[in-house]
Amino acid sequence: MSGSVEDERLRVQQLRALRRRWLRDQELSPREPVLPPRQLGTVAAFWERFLQPGGLWRQQVHKAYQTGRFVMLRVLLPAWALTYYVKYHL
């Protein structure tokens, strides 16, 4: 009977050692994860460069958007509403 208890203790000790080693292996080193370099297509590469902060094109597009928004909200929409009111209600 004493032989099986010692075998059981040895087995439990070995399992604990294996679990400890497995847990240690799960820790990431500072160099991990190692990711492959991104392969961007033509369109994705364009947008990657285009959306960099401070780019000239980005500033120009933003300026054009702001101008278009101003014209639409402050000029065209009120002019359309005024024209509709004058045409159908006066």
Side-chain angles (χ1 to χ4, degrees), residues 3-75:
S4 65
V5 171
E6 289 180 12
D7 288 343
E8 184 67 24
R9 283 187 189 146
L10 179 62
R11 184 168 103 38
V12 169
Q13 179 187 4
Q14 288 173 342
L15 283 174
R16 285 183 182 155
L18 283 173
R19 285 186 192 123
R20 257 188 245 115
R21 189 181 317 155
W22 183 83
L23 282 174
R24 241 183 294 126
D25 288 342
Q26 300 309 307
E27 295 175 3
L28 294 178
S29 76
R31 298 179 299 141
E32 292 179 312
V34 179
L35 300 174
R38 289 178 37 189
Q39 296 292 330
L40 297 176
T42 308
V43 175
F46 167 77
W47 283 112
E48 186 78 21
R49 288 188 311 272
F50 180 77
L51 295 175
Q52 292 297 320
L56 178 64
W57 279 105
R58 186 174 180 178
Q59 292 173 359
Q60 295 298 325
V61 168
H62 181 70
K63 193 184 305 181
Y65 168 75
Q66 292 293 340
T67 304
R69 183 174 162 213
F70 176 81
V71 168
M72 179 63 95
L73 291 177
R74 309 287 172 146
V75 177

